[in-house]
């Protein structure tokens, strides 16, 4: 099998050359490519290996199922545009904003909730960036800026340094947070220059998107180490995906590996209602069952919060399984442990009552 080692897979012809898809599937995949972009980095191509139908390929290789558009699916499933005061900015919560620095990614995930826009315009134009920074500067309630896109770490180290310096000059901005796939899918981009660019007055967090243990290659782990060794706090976010990680053992393996690499599992996202992604979605009940099983397998250090981004732009809601019920007759709490056993607990009476 021929494998490209120096350039990304971006077309159906590339997929055929790499033997990631069958020739008879090419016509349907060309239609998929007209709707949703294709890009697989050399690092992820190597991680897929000889399993074109495995969990890794399912994340990055297009499938004809993406042409099935369900009635409930949305162009903007988490409502970015509903909370956009100026182009490139989303202000959903009072104390933080999302700054869409670029629409470009190193990989285009087949389940992406922004798949309608990624790749369209590249870097946010200077005039729009200036307007976004003016809005942040004029809004003292904003303490945190989340850099996303696209993927903000596709920008050059020089451009990132300039942007972070400008943000750090705003007195009320205290935390900067990168949401990125780059340390995993293109680890060679985590250079000394990039790490140095993250050293500004504000605290900089890097939230790494990873869905499967096989993404964490030796090079990816080395990139994470470069960030951690520089004192950059690392968190992770994962999307619950049917056929990829909808299994407690698979997720436990991923979360343990992340913790070993000094990355705290932060969010497990229920798959959003992006168009053409129905084949990835589990039910919420399945997700809750998996989370309950993880509670018995992992320490709290390794367990993320399971969340749903409520469609329409209403923010995240935790979806964890219910461990507490109330016995209306006795007033006792009924507490379920990780084995499924139920225990009674009564709140102690405050002193003096």
């Amino acid at each position: 099998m021929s494998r490209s080692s120096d350039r990304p897979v971006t077309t159906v012809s590339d997929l055929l050359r790499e033997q990631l898809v069958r020739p008879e599937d090419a016509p349907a995949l060309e239609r998929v490519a007209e709707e949703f972009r294709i890009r697989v980095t050399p690092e992820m191509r190597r991680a897929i290996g000889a399993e074109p139908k495995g969990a890794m390929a399912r994340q990055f290789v297009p499938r004809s199922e993406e042409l099935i558009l369900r009635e409930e699916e949305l162009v903007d499933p988490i409502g970015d545009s509903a909370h956009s005061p100026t182009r490139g900015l989303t202000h959903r919560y009072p104390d933080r904003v999302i700054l869409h620095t670029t629409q470009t990614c190193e990989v285009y995930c087949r389940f992406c909730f922004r798949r309608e826009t990624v790749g369209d315009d590249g870097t946010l134009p200077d005039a729009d960036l200036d307007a976004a920074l003016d809005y942040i500067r004029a809004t003292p309630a904003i303490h945190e800026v989340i850099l996303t896109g696209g993927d903000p770490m596709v920008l050059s180290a020089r451009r990132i340094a300039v942007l972070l310096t400008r943000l750090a000059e705003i007195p009320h901005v205290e935390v900067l947070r990168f949401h990125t796939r780059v340390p995993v899918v293109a680890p060679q981009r985590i250079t000394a220059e990039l790490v140095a660019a993250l050293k500004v007055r504000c605290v900089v967090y890097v939230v790494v998107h990873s869905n499967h243990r096989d993404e964490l290659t030796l090079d990816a782990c080395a990139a994470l180490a470069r960030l951690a060794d520089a004192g950059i706090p690392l968190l992770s976010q994962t999307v619950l995906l049917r056929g990829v990680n909808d299994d407690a053992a698979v997720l436990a393996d991923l979360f343990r590996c992340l913790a070993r690499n000094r990355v705290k599992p932060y969010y497990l996202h229920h798959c959003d209602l992006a168009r053409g992604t129905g084949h990835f979605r589990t039910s919420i009940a399945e997700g809750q069952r998996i989370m309950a099983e993880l509670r018995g397998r992992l320490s709290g250090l390794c367990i993320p919060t399971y969340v749903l981004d409520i469609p329409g732009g209403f923010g995240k809601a935790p979806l964890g399984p219910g461990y507490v019920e109330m016995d209306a007759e006795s007033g006792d709490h009924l507490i379920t442990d990780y084995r499924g056993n139920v225990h009674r607990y009564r709140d102690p009476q405050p002193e003096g009552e």
Side-chain angles (χ1 to χ4, degrees), residues 70-97:
R70 298 171 60 97
E71 183 178 356
E72 67 271 16
E73 293 175 342
L74 303 169
V75 171
D76 182 13
I78 71 167
D80 279 334
S81 60
H83 299 277
S84 182
T86 185
R87 188 182 177 200
L89 204 65
T90 300
H91 193 182
R92 183 176 290 112
Y93 300 98
D95 71 331
R96 54 202 181 276
V97 293

Side-chain angles (χ1 to χ4, degrees), residues 170-226:
I170 302 173
H172 51 267
V173 173
E174 299 171 344
V175 175
L176 304 175
R177 192 197 322 168
F178 280 81
H179 282 197
T180 180
R181 271 281 216 180
V182 162
V184 170
V185 303
Q188 74 281 356
R189 296 188 69 97
I190 307 301
T191 61
E193 292 75 17
L194 176 60
V195 172
L198 304 181
K199 297 287 190 176
V200 291
R201 174 191 63 81
C202 304
V203 176
V204 175
Y205 284 77
V206 173
V207 182
V208 181
H209 180 171
S210 180
N211 300 316
H212 196 278
R213 167 65 181 84
D214 289 351
E215 295 174 37
L216 298 174
T217 64
L218 291 176
D219 286 342
C221 292
L224 294 172
R226 290 194 288 276

Side-chain angles (χ1 to χ4, degrees), residues 117-298:
T117 57
V118 290
D120 274 352
D121 299 319
T123 304
L124 187 67
D126 288 345
D128 293 324
L129 177 59
D130 290 343
L133 294 179
D134 286 343
Y135 177 88
I136 295 168
R137 195 175 293 110
T139 312
I142 297 171
H143 297 161
E144 182 174 354
V145 178
I146 301 163
L147 303 167
T148 182
D151 191 317
M153 283 196 173
V154 304
L155 302 177
S156 69
R158 181 197 61 79
R159 188 181 287 270
I160 288 173
V162 170
L163 174 58
L164 297 195
T165 298
R166 294 181 70 184
L167 285 166
E169 290 170 349
I170 302 173
H172 51 267
V173 173
E174 299 171 344
V175 175
L176 304 175
R177 192 197 322 168
F178 280 81
H179 282 197
T180 180
R181 271 281 216 180
V182 162
V184 170
V185 303
Q188 74 281 356
R189 296 188 69 97
I190 307 301
T191 61
E193 292 75 17
L194 176 60
V195 172
L198 304 181
K199 297 287 190 176
V200 291
R201 174 191 63 81
C202 304
V203 176
V204 175
Y205 284 77
V206 173
V207 182
V208 181
H209 180 171
S210 180
N211 300 316
H212 196 278
R213 167 65 181 84
D214 289 351
E215 295 174 37
L216 298 174
T217 64
L218 291 176
D219 286 342
C221 292
L224 294 172
R226 290 194 288 276
L227 292 165
D229 288 346
I232 306 297
L234 301 178
L235 306 171
S236 75
Q237 56 182 348
T238 297
V239 182
L240 183 60
L241 300 167
R242 186 176 301 283
V244 176
N245 59 18
D246 57 332
D247 178 273
V250 172
L251 284 175
D253 195 20
L254 168 64
F255 296 149
R256 285 195 191 100
C257 186
L258 286 165
R260 286 196 302 273
N261 283 278
R262 292 176 281 178
V263 182
K264 168 69 179 84
Y266 177 45
Y267 278 143
L268 175 64
H269 292 271
H270 193 72
C271 188
D272 294 308
L273 294 175
R275 293 196 316 143
T277 62
H279 54 293
F280 281 115
R281 271 190 295 281
T282 67
S283 68
I284 288 176
E286 288 174 286
Q288 291 175 320
R289 175 187 56 76
I290 289 169
M291 287 300 297
E293 194 172 340
L294 287 174
R295 179 65 60 181
R297 290 171 177 257
L298 299 173

